[in-house]
Amino acid sequence: MSKPRTRPRSSASRPGVRAAPAIDEASSPRGPDDHRLMVGVRVRPLSAAESARGAVDCLSVTEGNKVFARDPDEKMGGRDYLRLQQFNDHAYQFDAAFGPESGSSEVYARLVRRVVTAVIDGYNGACFAYGATGSGKTHTMLGQPQEPGVMPEAVEELMAAALRDDDFDYKFGVSYVEIYNEKVKDLLNPDSQADLEVREDAKHGTHIQGAVELAVGSAAEIMEHMQRGSVYRTTEATNCNEVSSRSHAVLQVTVKAVQRYGEGGGSKRRLAKLSLIDLAGSERAYKTDNRGQRLVEGRNINRSLLSLANCINALADRTRKGAHVPYRDSKLTRLLKDSLSGTSVAAMLCAVSPSSDQYEETLNTLKYANRAKQMTPPQVPQRQEGEHNPLQEQVAVLRELQGT
Protein backbone atom coordinates (compact mmCIF):
# COMPACT_ATOMS: atom_id res chain seq x y z
CA MET A 1 0.00 0.00 0.00
CA SER A 2 1.51 3.30 -1.15
CA LYS A 3 1.95 6.08 1.31
CA PRO A 4 -0.35 9.07 0.89
CA ARG A 5 1.38 12.14 -0.50
CA THR A 6 1.91 14.96 1.93
CA ARG A 7 1.80 18.50 0.66
CA PRO A 8 4.86 20.54 1.72
CA ARG A 9 4.03 23.36 4.07
CA SER A 10 4.29 26.82 2.59
CA SER A 11 6.16 29.58 4.38
CA ALA A 12 2.77 30.99 5.40
CA SER A 13 2.01 27.85 7.39
CA ARG A 14 5.31 27.79 9.25
CA PRO A 15 5.22 29.41 12.68
CA GLY A 16 6.89 32.79 12.79
CA VAL A 17 7.23 33.19 8.98
CA ARG A 18 5.15 35.79 7.19
CA ALA A 19 3.91 35.28 3.67
CA ALA A 20 3.81 38.27 1.35
CA PRO A 21 0.28 39.66 1.46
CA ALA A 22 -1.74 39.54 -1.74
CA ILE A 23 -2.31 42.84 -3.49
CA ASP A 24 -5.92 43.91 -3.68
CA GLU A 25 -6.98 43.15 -7.26
CA ALA A 26 -9.54 45.94 -7.16
CA SER A 27 -6.66 48.41 -7.06
CA SER A 28 -4.99 47.39 -10.32
CA PRO A 29 -3.60 50.11 -12.62
CA ARG A 30 -5.96 51.98 -14.95
CA GLY A 31 -5.59 52.88 -18.60
CA PRO A 32 -4.46 56.31 -19.84
CA ASP A 33 -7.96 57.20 -21.09
CA ASP A 34 -9.56 56.64 -17.69
CA HIS A 35 -10.80 59.99 -16.34
CA ARG A 36 -11.45 58.81 -12.82
CA LEU A 37 -9.73 60.27 -9.79
CA MET A 38 -6.04 59.34 -9.74
CA VAL A 39 -4.80 58.24 -6.31
CA GLY A 40 -1.22 58.36 -5.08
CA VAL A 41 0.43 57.64 -1.71
CA ARG A 42 3.53 59.35 -0.34
CA VAL A 43 5.51 57.86 2.56
CA ARG A 44 7.52 60.42 4.51
CA PRO A 45 10.85 59.59 6.20
CA LEU A 46 10.93 58.36 9.79
CA SER A 47 11.50 61.41 12.02
CA ALA A 48 14.22 61.69 14.66
CA ALA A 49 11.59 61.94 17.40
CA GLU A 50 9.96 58.69 16.24
CA SER A 51 13.32 56.90 16.14
CA ALA A 52 14.09 58.18 19.66
CA ARG A 53 10.81 56.65 20.86
CA GLY A 54 11.95 53.28 19.52
CA ALA A 55 9.57 53.28 16.55
CA VAL A 56 10.61 51.36 13.43
CA ASP A 57 9.77 51.66 9.73
CA CYS A 58 6.76 49.47 8.86
CA LEU A 59 6.14 50.55 5.25
CA SER A 60 7.88 49.81 1.97
CA VAL A 61 7.24 51.07 -1.57
CA THR A 62 8.09 48.99 -4.64
CA GLU A 63 7.74 49.37 -8.41
CA GLY A 64 6.53 52.94 -8.05
CA ASN A 65 2.93 51.99 -7.28
CA LYS A 66 2.85 49.26 -4.60
CA VAL A 67 2.78 49.86 -0.84
CA PHE A 68 3.39 47.09 1.71
CA ALA A 69 2.42 47.63 5.34
CA ARG A 70 4.02 45.27 7.88
CA ASP A 71 2.26 44.74 11.18
CA PRO A 72 4.65 45.86 13.98
CA ASP A 73 2.84 43.37 16.26
CA GLU A 74 2.97 45.59 19.33
CA LYS A 75 -0.65 45.41 20.35
CA MET A 76 0.11 43.26 23.41
CA GLY A 77 3.54 44.63 24.30
CA GLY A 78 5.40 42.23 22.04
CA ARG A 79 4.88 39.23 19.79
CA ASP A 80 1.57 37.44 20.34
CA TYR A 81 2.66 33.79 20.23
CA LEU A 82 -0.94 32.56 20.44
CA ARG A 83 -1.76 34.21 17.10
CA LEU A 84 1.36 33.68 15.03
CA GLN A 85 -0.70 33.06 11.88
CA GLN A 86 -2.87 36.17 12.24
CA PHE A 87 -0.75 39.02 10.96
CA ASN A 88 -2.18 42.38 10.02
CA ASP A 89 0.07 42.85 6.97
CA HIS A 90 -1.43 44.51 3.92
CA ALA A 91 -0.46 45.27 0.33
CA TYR A 92 -1.96 47.92 -1.92
CA GLN A 93 -1.49 49.11 -5.47
CA PHE A 94 -2.23 52.67 -6.53
CA ASP A 95 -1.74 54.87 -9.58
CA ALA A 96 1.50 56.07 -8.00
CA ALA A 97 3.40 55.46 -4.77
CA PHE A 98 6.36 57.45 -3.45
CA GLY A 99 8.91 56.34 -0.87
CA PRO A 100 10.86 58.58 1.54
CA GLU A 101 13.54 59.10 -1.10
CA SER A 102 11.07 60.67 -3.57
CA GLY A 103 10.99 64.45 -3.85
CA SER A 104 7.99 66.71 -4.37
CA SER A 105 8.99 67.23 -8.03
CA GLU A 106 8.49 63.53 -8.71
CA VAL A 107 5.14 63.58 -6.91
CA TYR A 108 4.05 66.51 -9.05
CA ALA A 109 5.28 65.01 -12.34
CA ARG A 110 3.63 61.63 -11.90
CA LEU A 111 0.37 62.60 -10.23
CA VAL A 112 -0.51 66.27 -10.61
CA ARG A 113 0.91 67.41 -13.96
CA ARG A 114 -2.01 65.88 -15.88
CA VAL A 115 -4.37 68.05 -13.80
CA VAL A 116 -2.55 71.27 -14.79
CA THR A 117 -2.45 70.19 -18.45
CA ALA A 118 -6.21 69.62 -18.34
CA VAL A 119 -6.79 73.13 -16.91
CA ILE A 120 -4.84 74.71 -19.78
CA ASP A 121 -7.02 72.67 -22.18
CA GLY A 122 -10.18 74.13 -20.67
CA TYR A 123 -11.17 71.53 -18.07
CA ASN A 124 -11.58 72.07 -14.34
CA GLY A 125 -8.82 70.41 -12.32
CA ALA A 126 -8.30 69.61 -8.65
CA CYS A 127 -5.72 68.05 -6.37
CA PHE A 128 -6.26 67.39 -2.67
CA ALA A 129 -4.06 65.91 0.02
CA TYR A 130 -5.38 63.58 2.74
CA GLY A 131 -3.75 61.90 5.73
CA ALA A 132 -3.45 61.73 9.50
CA THR A 133 -2.07 64.72 11.38
CA GLY A 134 1.73 64.83 11.16
CA SER A 135 1.89 62.65 8.02
CA GLY A 136 3.40 65.36 5.81
CA LYS A 137 0.42 66.70 3.83
CA THR A 138 1.22 70.40 4.16
CA HIS A 139 4.91 69.76 3.43
CA THR A 140 3.90 67.90 0.24
CA MET A 141 1.47 70.61 -0.86
CA LEU A 142 3.44 73.74 0.12
CA GLY A 143 7.01 72.48 0.54
CA GLN A 144 10.00 74.58 1.55
CA PRO A 145 11.96 77.29 -0.32
CA GLN A 146 14.68 74.75 -1.16
CA GLU A 147 12.13 72.11 -2.20
CA PRO A 148 8.83 73.60 -3.45
CA GLY A 149 5.74 71.48 -2.97
CA VAL A 150 2.96 70.47 -5.35
CA MET A 151 1.12 73.83 -5.19
CA PRO A 152 4.10 76.03 -6.24
CA GLU A 153 5.03 73.51 -8.96
CA ALA A 154 1.47 73.51 -10.32
CA VAL A 155 1.27 77.32 -10.34
CA GLU A 156 4.66 77.65 -12.07
CA GLU A 157 3.76 75.18 -14.81
CA LEU A 158 0.29 76.69 -15.32
CA MET A 159 1.75 80.14 -15.95
CA ALA A 160 4.61 78.79 -18.10
CA ALA A 161 2.17 76.83 -20.28
CA ALA A 162 0.06 79.96 -20.79
CA LEU A 163 3.14 81.94 -21.92
CA ARG A 164 4.03 79.23 -24.46
CA ASP A 165 0.54 79.18 -25.98
CA ASP A 166 0.43 81.35 -29.12
CA ASP A 167 -3.25 80.69 -29.84
CA PHE A 168 -4.87 82.09 -26.67
CA ASP A 169 -4.60 85.15 -24.42
CA TYR A 170 -4.88 84.28 -20.73
CA LYS A 171 -6.18 86.05 -17.64
CA PHE A 172 -5.80 84.61 -14.14
CA GLY A 173 -7.47 85.20 -10.79
CA VAL A 174 -6.69 83.71 -7.38
CA SER A 175 -8.73 83.10 -4.22
CA TYR A 176 -7.63 81.43 -0.98
CA VAL A 177 -9.98 80.31 1.81
CA GLU A 178 -10.01 77.96 4.78
CA ILE A 179 -12.79 75.80 6.22
CA TYR A 180 -12.47 76.01 10.00
CA ASN A 181 -15.11 74.46 12.27
CA GLU A 182 -17.49 74.31 9.27
CA LYS A 183 -17.07 78.04 8.61
CA VAL A 184 -15.48 79.33 5.41
CA LYS A 185 -13.03 82.19 6.03
CA ASP A 186 -11.34 84.31 3.33
CA LEU A 187 -7.56 84.18 3.89
CA LEU A 188 -6.99 87.01 1.39
CA ASN A 189 -9.40 89.24 3.32
CA PRO A 190 -8.61 88.35 6.95
CA ASP A 191 -10.37 91.43 8.38
CA SER A 192 -13.69 90.06 7.19
CA GLN A 193 -15.27 87.74 9.73
CA ALA A 194 -18.02 86.65 7.34
CA ASP A 195 -18.90 82.96 7.08
CA LEU A 196 -18.86 82.49 3.29
CA GLU A 197 -21.25 80.17 1.50
CA VAL A 198 -20.43 77.34 -0.90
CA ARG A 199 -22.76 77.74 -3.89
CA GLU A 200 -23.37 75.92 -7.14
CA ASP A 201 -24.76 77.24 -10.41
CA ALA A 202 -24.54 76.53 -14.13
CA LYS A 203 -22.23 79.46 -14.87
CA HIS A 204 -19.62 79.16 -12.10
CA GLY A 205 -20.05 75.52 -11.05
CA THR A 206 -19.21 74.92 -7.39
CA HIS A 207 -17.73 78.12 -5.97
CA ILE A 208 -17.38 80.16 -2.78
CA GLN A 209 -19.66 83.16 -2.93
CA GLY A 210 -18.16 86.36 -1.56
CA ALA A 211 -14.52 85.22 -1.61
CA VAL A 212 -12.08 87.86 -2.83
CA GLU A 213 -10.59 87.00 -6.22
CA LEU A 214 -7.44 88.93 -7.09
CA ALA A 215 -6.19 89.37 -10.65
CA VAL A 216 -2.66 88.00 -11.09
CA GLY A 217 -0.21 87.91 -13.95
CA SER A 218 2.63 85.70 -12.75
CA ALA A 219 3.41 82.68 -10.61
CA ALA A 220 5.32 84.94 -8.19
CA GLU A 221 2.16 86.98 -7.54
CA ILE A 222 0.12 83.85 -6.82
CA MET A 223 2.79 82.54 -4.44
CA GLU A 224 2.94 85.92 -2.69
CA HIS A 225 -0.82 85.86 -2.09
CA MET A 226 -0.66 82.23 -0.97
CA GLN A 227 2.12 82.94 1.53
CA ARG A 228 0.29 86.01 2.82
CA GLY A 229 -2.91 84.01 3.26
CA SER A 230 -1.12 81.11 4.95
CA VAL A 231 -0.09 83.46 7.76
CA TYR A 232 -3.77 83.71 8.75
CA ARG A 233 -4.48 80.00 8.46
CA THR A 234 -5.43 78.38 11.78
CA THR A 235 -2.58 76.21 13.12
CA GLU A 236 -1.76 74.91 16.61
CA ALA A 237 0.68 72.50 18.24
CA THR A 238 -0.45 68.98 19.16
CA ASN A 239 1.34 65.89 20.46
CA CYS A 240 1.58 64.59 16.88
CA ASN A 241 2.71 67.78 15.16
CA GLU A 242 4.32 71.02 16.32
CA VAL A 243 2.49 73.01 13.60
CA SER A 244 -0.78 71.18 13.02
CA SER A 245 -3.23 72.59 10.45
CA ARG A 246 -6.61 73.00 12.15
CA SER A 247 -8.47 73.86 8.95
CA HIS A 248 -8.86 72.77 5.33
CA ALA A 249 -7.15 75.27 2.98
CA VAL A 250 -8.39 75.78 -0.58
CA LEU A 251 -6.41 77.71 -3.20
CA GLN A 252 -8.31 78.30 -6.45
CA VAL A 253 -6.83 79.74 -9.64
CA THR A 254 -9.36 80.72 -12.30
CA VAL A 255 -8.20 80.68 -15.92
CA LYS A 256 -9.86 82.59 -18.74
CA ALA A 257 -8.42 82.01 -22.21
CA VAL A 258 -9.60 83.88 -25.33
CA GLN A 259 -8.59 82.72 -28.80
CA ARG A 260 -6.45 85.27 -30.63
CA TYR A 261 -7.24 84.40 -34.23
CA GLY A 262 -10.56 82.62 -34.67
CA GLU A 263 -12.01 81.36 -37.93
CA GLY A 264 -14.36 83.75 -39.74
CA GLY A 265 -13.51 86.64 -37.43
CA GLY A 266 -14.99 84.94 -34.34
CA SER A 267 -13.06 83.59 -31.37
CA LYS A 268 -13.52 80.94 -28.70
CA ARG A 269 -13.34 81.38 -24.96
CA ARG A 270 -12.31 78.82 -22.37
CA LEU A 271 -13.03 79.02 -18.66
CA ALA A 272 -11.32 76.67 -16.23
CA LYS A 273 -10.45 76.43 -12.55
CA LEU A 274 -7.54 74.82 -10.73
CA SER A 275 -8.31 73.88 -7.10
CA LEU A 276 -5.47 72.89 -4.76
CA ILE A 277 -6.70 71.66 -1.38
CA ASP A 278 -4.68 70.90 1.74
CA LEU A 279 -6.98 68.98 4.08
CA ALA A 280 -6.56 69.11 7.85
CA GLY A 281 -5.29 65.84 9.29
CA SER A 282 -7.60 63.20 10.71
CA GLU A 283 -6.72 62.62 14.34
CA ARG A 284 -7.49 60.61 17.46
CA ALA A 285 -7.89 62.47 20.73
CA TYR A 286 -5.85 59.94 22.73
CA LYS A 287 -2.92 60.38 20.33
CA THR A 288 -2.98 64.17 20.09
CA ASP A 289 -3.99 64.62 23.77
CA ASN A 290 -6.16 67.57 22.75
CA ARG A 291 -8.30 69.44 25.25
CA GLY A 292 -10.83 72.29 25.08
CA GLN A 293 -10.83 74.19 21.78
CA ARG A 294 -8.33 71.79 20.17
CA LEU A 295 -10.70 68.90 20.94
CA VAL A 296 -13.63 70.77 19.35
CA GLU A 297 -11.49 71.47 16.28
CA GLY A 298 -10.55 67.80 16.06
CA ARG A 299 -14.18 66.73 16.18
CA ASN A 300 -15.12 69.11 13.36
CA ILE A 301 -12.14 67.99 11.28
CA ASN A 302 -13.07 64.33 11.72
CA ARG A 303 -16.74 65.07 11.01
CA SER A 304 -15.97 66.70 7.67
CA LEU A 305 -13.51 63.94 6.74
CA LEU A 306 -16.17 61.37 7.66
CA SER A 307 -18.54 63.13 5.25
CA LEU A 308 -15.85 62.84 2.58
CA ALA A 309 -15.48 59.13 3.37
CA ASN A 310 -19.24 58.65 3.06
CA CYS A 311 -19.20 60.26 -0.40
CA ILE A 312 -16.28 58.07 -1.47
CA ASN A 313 -18.03 54.94 -0.18
CA ALA A 314 -21.23 55.82 -2.03
CA LEU A 315 -19.32 56.35 -5.29
CA ALA A 316 -17.24 53.19 -4.81
CA ASP A 317 -20.18 50.88 -3.97
CA ARG A 318 -20.96 49.27 -7.32
CA THR A 319 -23.89 47.33 -5.86
CA ARG A 320 -25.82 50.62 -5.37
CA LYS A 321 -25.80 52.16 -8.81
CA GLY A 322 -27.34 55.62 -8.82
CA ALA A 323 -27.38 55.75 -5.01
CA HIS A 324 -27.56 59.11 -3.25
CA VAL A 325 -24.14 60.70 -2.64
CA PRO A 326 -24.26 62.92 0.49
CA TYR A 327 -22.28 65.90 -0.85
CA ARG A 328 -24.33 68.36 1.21
CA ASP A 329 -23.34 66.83 4.58
CA SER A 330 -20.45 69.29 4.96
CA LYS A 331 -18.99 72.36 3.28
CA LEU A 332 -15.87 70.39 2.44
CA THR A 333 -17.75 67.75 0.42
CA ARG A 334 -19.84 70.42 -1.30
CA LEU A 335 -16.61 72.12 -2.38
CA LEU A 336 -15.10 68.80 -3.55
CA LYS A 337 -18.21 67.77 -5.46
CA ASP A 338 -16.67 68.59 -8.86
CA SER A 339 -13.60 66.50 -8.04
CA LEU A 340 -15.55 63.49 -6.77
CA SER A 341 -18.41 63.49 -9.28
CA GLY A 342 -16.06 63.36 -12.26
CA THR A 343 -16.65 66.81 -13.76
CA SER A 344 -13.02 67.75 -12.93
CA VAL A 345 -9.75 66.05 -13.78
CA ALA A 346 -8.62 65.26 -10.25
CA ALA A 347 -5.86 63.69 -8.18
CA MET A 348 -5.87 62.59 -4.55
CA LEU A 349 -2.57 62.45 -2.69
CA CYS A 350 -2.51 60.50 0.57
CA ALA A 351 0.38 61.15 2.95
CA VAL A 352 1.35 58.47 5.48
CA SER A 353 3.89 57.98 8.25
CA PRO A 354 6.11 54.85 8.20
CA SER A 355 6.36 54.83 12.01
CA SER A 356 5.27 51.66 13.79
CA ASP A 357 3.53 53.69 16.52
CA GLN A 358 1.35 55.31 13.82
CA TYR A 359 0.46 52.00 12.17
CA GLU A 360 -3.30 52.18 12.80
CA GLU A 361 -3.57 55.70 11.36
CA THR A 362 -1.42 54.73 8.38
CA LEU A 363 -3.50 51.63 7.69
CA ASN A 364 -6.71 53.65 7.85
CA THR A 365 -5.30 56.14 5.32
CA LEU A 366 -4.24 53.34 2.96
CA LYS A 367 -7.72 51.78 3.17
CA TYR A 368 -9.23 55.21 2.54
CA ALA A 369 -7.04 55.67 -0.55
CA ASN A 370 -7.80 52.18 -1.84
CA ARG A 371 -11.52 52.83 -1.48
CA ALA A 372 -11.19 56.14 -3.35
CA LYS A 373 -9.46 54.37 -6.21
CA GLN A 374 -12.49 52.14 -6.71
CA MET A 375 -14.85 55.09 -7.20
CA THR A 376 -16.92 55.24 -10.37
CA PRO A 377 -17.87 58.91 -10.85
CA PRO A 378 -21.26 59.40 -12.54
CA GLN A 379 -19.94 62.07 -14.94
CA VAL A 380 -16.93 62.79 -17.15
CA PRO A 381 -14.93 66.04 -17.42
CA GLN A 382 -16.41 68.58 -19.80
CA ARG A 383 -14.45 71.36 -21.48
CA GLN A 384 -15.78 74.79 -20.50
CA GLU A 385 -15.70 76.35 -23.98
CA GLY A 386 -17.93 78.78 -25.88
CA GLU A 387 -18.01 81.73 -28.25
CA HIS A 388 -16.29 84.89 -27.04
CA ASN A 389 -18.69 87.84 -26.90
CA PRO A 390 -17.11 90.80 -25.04
CA LEU A 391 -20.29 92.89 -25.03
CA GLN A 392 -22.34 90.08 -23.54
CA GLU A 393 -19.70 89.52 -20.87
CA GLN A 394 -19.73 93.19 -19.88
CA VAL A 395 -23.52 93.10 -19.55
CA ALA A 396 -23.24 90.00 -17.33
CA VAL A 397 -20.68 91.75 -15.09
CA LEU A 398 -22.94 94.80 -14.73
CA ARG A 399 -25.87 92.58 -13.76
CA GLU A 400 -23.76 90.86 -11.10
CA LEU A 401 -22.71 94.23 -9.71
CA GLN A 402 -26.31 95.39 -9.56
CA GLY A 403 -27.29 92.25 -7.70
CA THR A 404 -24.67 92.76 -4.96
Side-chain angles (χ1 to χ4, degrees), residues 24 27 92-94 365-374:
D24 187 352
S27 61
Y92 298 95
Q93 185 166 312
F94 301 102
T365 300
L366 292 174
K367 289 178 180 177
Y368 202 102
N370 193 57
R371 190 66 168 163
K373 194 173 181 303
Q374 299 170 29

Side-chain angles (χ1 to χ4, degrees), residues 261-280:
Y261 314 108
E263 296 180 2
S267 60
K268 291 182 179 180
R269 179 203 63 187
R270 291 178 182 172
L271 295 175
K273 178 176 59 182
L274 174 63
S275 301
L276 300 167
I277 302 149
D278 178 23
L279 299 176

Side-chain angles (χ1 to χ4, degrees), residues 42-73:
R42 186 182 192 185
V43 182
R44 67 163 172 77
L46 199 68
S47 70
E50 289 166 340
S51 298
R53 292 198 301 264
V56 296
D57 192 331
C58 64
L59 293 181
S60 60
V61 175
T62 62
E63 300 178 36
N65 63 351
K66 296 181 177 67
V67 179
F68 294 89
R70 299 178 299 277
D71 186 1
D73 196 28

Side-chain angles (χ1 to χ4, degrees), residues 17-339:
V17 179
R18 303 186 187 201
I23 293 175
D24 187 352
E25 293 181 0
S27 61
S28 57
R30 301 196 297 260
D33 297 327
D34 197 328
H35 295 293
R36 287 180 292 169
L37 175 77
M38 280 191 71
V39 180
V41 171
R42 186 182 192 185
V43 182
R44 67 163 172 77
L46 199 68
S47 70
E50 289 166 340
S51 298
R53 292 198 301 264
V56 296
D57 192 331
C58 64
L59 293 181
S60 60
V61 175
T62 62
E63 300 178 36
N65 63 351
K66 296 181 177 67
V67 179
F68 294 89
R70 299 178 299 277
D71 186 1
D73 196 28
E74 294 174 349
K75 301 178 187 63
M76 300 181 70
R79 182 172 294 279
D80 183 2
Y81 288 98
L82 297 178
R83 297 177 177 84
L84 283 175
Q85 306 306 315
Q86 299 181 17
F87 294 108
N88 197 24
D89 293 357
H90 295 269
Y92 298 95
Q93 185 166 312
F94 301 102
D95 295 298
F98 309 93
E101 71 285 351
S102 298
S104 296
S105 295
E106 183 184 349
V107 176
Y108 172 78
R110 292 182 55 200
L111 195 66
V112 187
R113 176 167 284 152
R114 66 186 279 273
V115 175
V116 176
T117 302
V119 171
I120 285 292
D121 289 339
Y123 298 91
N124 287 336
C127 173
F128 57 99
Y130 173 83
T133 185
S135 59
K137 298 179 305 304
T138 301
H139 172 76
T140 297
M141 293 300 281
L142 296 177
Q144 302 291 335
Q146 63 275 18
E147 186 188 1
V150 165
M151 293 169 80
E153 293 255 17
V155 167
E156 287 280 358
E157 183 148 343
L158 182 68
M159 303 302 284
L163 287 174
R164 291 194 302 266
D165 193 341
D166 295 327
D167 297 326
F168 286 84
D169 286 318
Y170 288 85
K171 290 183 179 179
F172 298 92
V174 62
S175 62
Y176 195 24
V177 302
E178 71 169 1
I179 303 175
Y180 173 69
N181 286 346
E182 277 301 293
K183 293 183 179 181
V184 182
K185 175 185 172 184
D186 194 341
L187 294 175
L188 297 183
N189 185 20
D191 294 334
S192 171
Q193 299 300 317
D195 178 14
L196 306 179
E197 289 295 328
V198 180
R199 297 289 174 87
E200 183 179 2
D201 57 48
K203 182 180 178 181
H204 301 98
T206 304
H207 66 285
I208 301 165
Q209 188 173 24
V212 171
E213 184 175 293
L214 302 176
V216 290
S218 67
E221 284 186 68
I222 296 177
M223 293 307 301
E224 182 182 343
H225 290 310
M226 187 173 71
Q227 290 168 3
R228 181 166 59 88
S230 295
V231 172
Y232 298 100
R233 187 179 177 188
T234 308
T235 59
E236 292 291 344
T238 70
N239 276 5
C240 294
N241 195 355
E242 290 182 2
V243 186
S244 175
S245 302
R246 314 306 296 164
S247 65
H248 311 299
V250 183
L251 178 78
Q252 289 189 326
V253 181
T254 55
V255 182
K256 178 183 176 181
V258 177
Q259 194 174 24
R260 289 176 179 171
Y261 314 108
E263 296 180 2
S267 60
K268 291 182 179 180
R269 179 203 63 187
R270 291 178 182 172
L271 295 175
K273 178 176 59 182
L274 174 63
S275 301
L276 300 167
I277 302 149
D278 178 23
L279 299 176
S282 60
E283 57 185 46
R284 301 188 181 193
Y286 79 90
K287 282 283 182 74
T288 57
D289 196 28
N290 285 339
R291 298 286 188 274
Q293 183 62 22
R294 301 290 83 76
L295 186 60
V296 173
E297 292 168 351
R299 286 173 181 166
N300 282 307
I301 290 168
N302 289 340
R303 187 179 295 120
S304 61
L305 293 176
L306 178 61
S307 299
L308 177 58
N310 290 337
C311 291
I312 289 173
N313 286 333
L315 291 166
D317 190 349
R318 297 173 186 175
T319 63
R320 300 171 55 200
K321 212 166 186 179
H324 170 68
V325 182
Y327 295 118
R328 301 186 69 85
D329 282 2
S330 75
K331 290 185 177 179
L332 173 64
T333 48
R334 289 180 66 187
L335 197 58
L336 289 176
K337 181 179 178 181
D338 287 347
S339 308

Side-chain angles (χ1 to χ4, degrees), residues 327-378:
Y327 295 118
R328 301 186 69 85
D329 282 2
S330 75
K331 290 185 177 179
L332 173 64
T333 48
R334 289 180 66 187
L335 197 58
L336 289 176
K337 181 179 178 181
D338 287 347
S339 308
L340 300 174
S341 65
T343 57
S344 294
V345 177
M348 177 180 179
L349 176 60
C350 294
V352 293
S353 164
S355 176
S356 55
D357 60 5
Q358 297 292 323
Y359 183 72
E360 289 182 32
E361 286 76 11
T362 293
L363 196 58
N364 284 337
T365 300
L366 292 174
K367 289 178 180 177
Y368 202 102
N370 193 57
R371 190 66 168 163
K373 194 173 181 303
Q374 299 170 29
M375 289 195 311
T376 306

